[in-house]
Amino acid sequence: MNLNNDETRSIEDEVDLHLYELLDESIPRYKFIYHMNLVYIDYVIDKNLWFSTSEKHFLFSLSYSTFLAYKKLIEEDVFEYKFDKDLYKYCYHFFMKGMQYSLLCEEFPGVYSEVKKVNFDDQRRTISFNEVREIPRKFNEFISKYTIRKALSYTLQMASGQLSDKDDEEAAVELSKLYFHFWSENMLYEDFEPYSRLDWGGIENFFILAAMRRFIKLYRADFNIEKFGSHKMMIIISPKGKERIKEFTLTKDQEIIDKVLEDFIYKPLGKNLFPKSSVSDAPLIITKDGYIIVNPLVLLNNDSGETRYLNYLRKYDNNRHQRIKDKLKERVIPIIEHLCKLKYPNTTVVTNFKVPIPNKRNQSRELDILVVDESSGFVLYIEVKHFFNPMSYSEMRSIDSQLKEALKKTTAQLDAIRHNWELIKDRFEVRTNINRIESIILSHHYIGCDVAIHDSVPIVNTQGIFESIGESNSIQELYESIREFDQIYSSIKMISRNIEFEFAKFKFELKMEALNPEFETLFLRSYRNNIRDTIDLKEKKIFQNYEDYSRALLTKLQSESEDTYI
C-alpha cells in the first residue's frame, strides 16, 4: 500500500534520529572522528571507490558522523590517535549505516515533490520508493561528475607512471602542480579576501602537497591499502608542526595565517540533526589541544581548491561568496567573447548590454552575450548563470527552480532582441539582419535535474560550451552541438539493481543505478587514451590578458576535438 505524507514523515523522523541514538556518547570526540577517517580510507580505496560517483555516499557518511560527533560526543582535552581495534570495528558498522542513511536521504525528499511514492509491503514488512513521473535530467549530474572524477583519477595515475624516475618528494611536487592546473575555475589573486591574498594559495599548497606525498606512495604500493596502512594516509599536524605552514606562504604573520586557516576548518553548522556544512568544504579538523587532522581523500574530493573555497563561503559567509561568484560570472563572459571572435572571424559579439523592454516605457532588460554571424544572419543569445553544484536535495530544488525560470525568460529575451534589432545594429555596428535567432543557458557547473529538456533552449556548463566551440565551424554549428549535449546526457543507458537493508527498525528496498557496463567499458577505453595524450608536466604559462588565454584555450580545444569519442 502507498503511504500518505504524514505516515511518510513519521517514518522519516525515526530514520533521522537513528544514527544520533546509535552513537555511543562515551567515545571521545576526536578519537571517534580519527577512526571514522581510517575506515573511510580503508573502505574507499580497497573497494576502488576513490574518485567514483559512489564515493559521495561514503563521504556523506563520514561528514554526517563528524557532525554528530560535535553534537553528541564530549571534546577530549588530549587527542589520542593510537589505533583502537574495537573502536575501529564500531566505526566500520557506523560508517556503513551512514552510507545507508545517505541513500535514504535521496529518497524521502522526492516524495514531497510528488516525484515518488512510498510503498509499504505489509507481507514482507518492506518499504520501497517508486517513481511516479520521469525526472528529465536525472542522470546529467551523475554523468558529469563521473567523467570529471574519472578524468582526475586517470590523470593522477598516468602522471604518476610518467614520474617513475623521480623520487617520492619530486613526484609529489609535480603531481601537486598538475592537480592545480587540472582545473580552470578562473579565480585570480584579486578575487580572494585581502588577508587571503597575503597567503596567495600557500596553505592550500601545503595541504595538497601533503596529500600528493601520500598519493604517490600509495600508487607505488599498487593501492594496496592493507599493506600501506590507512594511518599513514592521514595528515596529522602537531601544534609545533603547524609552524611549518609559514614556509609555504608569502606572509609570516601568524595572525594572518590563522585567519586563512579559518577558511579550511570544519564547524558543525546546521539546525537540529541536519548539517549545513560538509567536511569536503572544510576538510581540517582542529582538536582542543591544537592538532590538525586532515583526510587527503576528502581534501582531493573537491572540484578544485576554488570550488572548495566557494562552497565554504556559501555555507559560512554568503556575502563574501556572492562577491566572488559575481566576479567569476563576469570573467567567463570575456573568455567566450574572445573564443568566438577567434574561432568565427566574421562574427560580432556584444556583451553585458541593455535593450528596452517592448511596450514597457523606461524599462530595460539586461543581457549577457549576443553572438551574431554576419555572413548567415544566425544570432545566438547566451544567458550566463554561475550555479554551484548542489550538496543537498533542497539546494538542488532551489537551483532547478531558477533554471526553470531562466528557461521561461528566454522567449521574452529573444523578443526584446528582435524588437530592438535596429537599435542593436546601430549601437554595436552589427551589419546583418536576423535570419534565425536561438538562445542557450550557460551554467558554470550544474545544468539541472528536475528541469525539462527544452526543444530549442539547451542548458550547458562551461566545459561543454568550450568543447563545442572547439568542434564547431560556425555559430549555428555551435548551437546545434550544444543541443546535442542536452540530448546525449539524457539518452545514456543506465542499469539498476535492488538492494535491501535494515535501518531504524525498518527494512528498505532501494534501486541502485549505474552505467551500463558495456557502455562504460567502451567509454573508459576511449577516455584513457585521450587523457594519456593530453597529460602535460611542463611548466604552465601565465597569461596576461583574456585574448592570449582564449587563444591558447582554443588551440587546446581544437587539438582535443580531433580525438574520437564514442
Side-chain angles (χ1 to χ4, degrees):
M1 65 174 181
N2 289 330
L3 303 182
N4 61 38
N5 282 357
D6 288 338
E7 292 169 325
T8 300
R9 283 194 179 89
S10 176
I11 293 172
E12 187 182 15
D13 287 343
E14 293 189 52
V15 166
D16 288 336
L17 275 172
H18 183 59
L19 287 177
Y20 181 82
E21 294 176 342
L22 189 65
L23 183 57
D24 183 352
E25 63 184 2
S26 69
I27 303 171
R29 179 188 297 171
Y30 300 116
K31 190 174 183 180
F32 171 77
I33 291 173
Y34 174 70
H35 281 77
M36 286 298 297
N37 276 278
L38 295 183
V39 171
Y40 179 88
I41 291 170
D42 283 334
Y43 192 88
V44 167
I45 293 178
D46 184 60
K47 302 298 182 183
N48 298 314
L49 296 171
W50 197 9
F51 297 120
S52 74
T53 52
S54 300
E55 188 181 4
K56 71 173 184 177
H57 294 298
F58 299 99
L59 181 63
F60 176 94
S61 176
L62 176 64
S63 186
Y64 191 66
S65 300
T66 303
F67 176 77
L68 291 182
Y70 278 88
K71 285 283 185 180
K72 188 173 183 179
L73 303 184
I74 296 173
E75 182 182 39
E76 64 268 41
D77 293 326
V78 178
F79 170 50
E80 181 184 353
Y81 53 95
K82 291 180 181 178
F83 182 76
D84 184 323
K85 185 177 179 181
D86 291 334
L87 179 56
Y88 183 90
K89 289 179 179 178
Y90 174 86
C91 288
Y92 182 88
H93 173 72
F94 202 90
F95 180 72
M96 297 308 296
K97 284 296 173 185
M99 182 275 293
Q100 294 170 353
Y101 182 53
S102 176
L103 293 171
L104 292 171
C105 285
E106 292 192 345
E107 298 292 339
F108 280 103
V111 177
Y112 311 123
S113 298
E114 299 182 347
V115 173
K116 297 180 180 182
K117 290 283 187 183
V118 183
N119 181 67
F120 180 66
D121 187 327
D122 191 43
Q123 186 174 356
R124 296 171 58 224
R125 308 298 297 174
T126 301
I127 297 171
S128 59
F129 298 83
N130 303 313
E131 285 190 2
V132 294
R133 67 174 176 83
E134 188 175 343
I135 302 173
R137 301 171 185 267
K138 181 178 179 180
F139 300 121
N140 286 33
E141 186 183 10
F142 176 93
I143 300 298
S144 179
K145 279 286 188 183
Y146 176 87
T147 53
I148 200 68
R149 305 307 297 165
K150 286 296 182 185
L152 179 58
S153 175
Y154 289 155
T155 297
L156 291 177
Q157 290 184 60
M158 291 177 185
S160 296
Q162 294 179 19
L163 294 166
S164 58
D165 60 332
K166 305 284 187 182
D167 64 31
D168 286 354
E169 186 64 17
E170 289 177 306
V173 170
E174 292 300 319
L175 285 178
S176 297
K177 292 178 183 176
L178 185 66
Y179 176 83
F180 283 115
H181 289 294
F182 180 86
W183 307 102
S184 56
E185 292 288 330
N186 300 319
M187 282 185 75
L188 299 179
Y189 173 74
E190 61 265 21
D191 294 337
F192 292 89
E193 297 300 296
Y195 67 83
S196 299
R197 294 175 200 168
L198 290 172
D199 166 63
W200 209 352
I203 286 176
E204 185 177 12
N205 279 323
F206 177 87
F207 287 108
I208 292 297
L209 179 58
M212 290 306 172
R213 287 189 183 112
R214 288 151 178 79
F215 181 91
I216 194 66
K217 289 179 184 295
L218 186 63
Y219 174 84
R220 290 173 176 178
D222 199 26
F223 291 94
N224 187 335
I225 191 61
E226 185 176 352
K227 177 182 176 182
F228 184 78
S230 53
H231 64 288
K232 294 180 182 177
M233 285 292 290
M234 288 295 291
I235 302 169
I236 308 290
I237 302 173
S238 69
K240 289 183 178 179
K242 199 168 127 181
E243 292 294 314
R244 277 205 63 204
I245 296 176
K246 287 183 182 178
E247 299 171 17
F248 288 75
T249 61
L250 292 179
T251 180
K252 305 306 174 190
D253 186 323
Q254 190 62 49
E255 184 178 352
I256 290 176
I257 291 172
D258 289 342
K259 283 184 178 180
V260 176
L261 272 173
E262 209 43 47
D263 285 343
F264 286 80
I265 294 172
Y266 177 83
K267 304 167 191 69
L269 294 184
K271 185 178 181 181
N272 298 325
L273 295 180
F274 305 104
K276 183 180 177 183
S277 56
S278 167
V279 292
S280 62
D281 302 333
L284 272 60
I285 304 293
I286 306 295
T287 68
K288 190 174 182 179
D289 51 347
Y291 279 82
I292 299 176
I293 309 171
V294 188
N295 186 330
L297 275 66
V298 173
L299 185 67
L300 298 176
N301 184 270
N302 280 286
D303 295 351
S304 84
E306 288 91 341
T307 299
R308 185 212 65 79
Y309 182 61
L310 283 169
N311 280 338
Y312 174 89
L313 293 182
R314 181 163 56 87
K315 306 291 180 58
Y316 291 89
D317 191 337
N318 193 54
N319 288 334
R320 289 162 65 199
H321 171 259
Q322 288 297 329
R323 288 199 301 271
I324 296 174
K325 188 185 79 166
D326 290 344
K327 286 182 181 180
L328 294 189
K329 176 182 175 181
E330 292 165 7
R331 190 162 299 126
V332 78
I333 290 175
I335 291 174
I336 292 175
E337 175 186 5
H338 286 292
L339 282 174
C340 289
K341 286 179 177 178
L342 289 167
K343 184 65 189 285
Y344 320 111
N346 195 23
T347 295
T348 299
V349 183
V350 183
T351 62
N352 297 319
F353 63 106
K354 294 181 180 180
V355 293
I357 298 178
N359 303 319
K360 290 192 178 181
R361 188 177 180 183
N362 299 326
Q363 293 187 41
S364 60
R365 185 177 294 279
E366 293 185 9
L367 301 174
D368 293 325
I369 307 174
L370 189 68
V371 188
V372 182
D373 188 332
E374 297 284 8
S375 58
S376 70
F378 188 93
V379 178
L380 180 63
Y381 173 65
I382 304 173
E383 174 75 8
V384 181
K385 301 292 183 183
H386 195 94
F387 289 140
F388 53 82
N389 281 320
M391 302 299 291
S392 66
Y393 190 89
S394 61
E395 287 182 353
M396 181 183 74
R397 186 170 56 186
S398 173
I399 302 176
D400 280 355
S401 67
Q402 293 177 64
L403 282 171
K404 291 174 184 177
E405 186 63 27
L407 284 170
K408 288 179 183 177
K409 286 182 178 179
T410 55
T411 300
Q413 288 166 337
L414 296 188
D415 285 345
I417 292 169
R418 288 191 193 94
H419 190 269
N420 293 284
W421 191 247
E422 291 303 318
L423 176 65
I424 291 171
K425 285 173 65 178
D426 181 60
R427 184 178 296 171
F428 303 111
E429 299 182 356
V430 174
R431 302 186 303 276
T432 187
N433 291 320
I434 298 175
N435 181 35
R436 178 182 171 189
I437 183 169
E438 301 289 356
S439 66
I440 65 171
I441 294 172
L442 169 61
S443 177
H444 186 61
H445 278 307
Y446 181 69
I447 58 175
C449 180
D450 195 8
V451 180
I453 297 173
H454 199 281
D455 290 338
S456 59
V457 185
I459 303 172
V460 66
N461 61 23
T462 307
Q463 188 59 35
I465 195 171
F466 285 171
E467 290 178 10
S468 293
I469 290 173
E471 295 170 358
S472 58
N473 295 309
S474 69
I475 302 302
Q476 184 168 347
E477 281 188 24
L478 169 63
Y479 168 72
E480 297 296 347
S481 174
I482 291 169
R483 277 190 70 198
E484 194 175 321
F485 259 104
D486 236 13
Q487 302 296 328
I488 287 176
Y489 269 10
S490 304
S491 62
I492 291 175
K493 299 299 181 184
M494 307 288 286
I495 60 170
S496 64
R497 63 183 178 88
N498 292 337
I499 62 167
E500 290 186 0
F501 57 83
E502 292 186 5
F503 194 93
K505 301 178 184 178
F506 299 102
K507 187 175 182 180
F508 291 92
E509 183 177 272
L510 306 182
K511 285 186 178 180
M512 290 287 289
E513 289 164 311
L515 282 173
N516 182 301
E518 184 178 353
F519 169 83
E520 186 173 21
T521 301
L522 293 171
F523 174 81
L524 292 181
R525 187 182 302 148
S526 169
Y527 215 46
R528 282 194 201 100
N529 293 337
N530 178 251
I531 290 168
R532 184 184 297 112
D533 294 339
T534 56
I535 289 176
D536 183 7
L537 295 172
K538 296 176 184 176
E539 195 70 27
K540 303 300 185 293
K541 181 179 178 181
I542 297 175
F543 299 100
Q544 302 301 319
N545 55 60
Y546 290 124
E547 186 171 359
D548 288 348
Y549 170 78
S550 300
R551 195 181 302 278
L553 177 59
L554 183 59
T555 300
K556 178 176 181 290
L557 291 167
Q558 288 176 316
S559 173
E560 291 177 355
S561 72
E562 294 173 2
D563 294 292
T564 302
Y565 291 86
I566 57 172

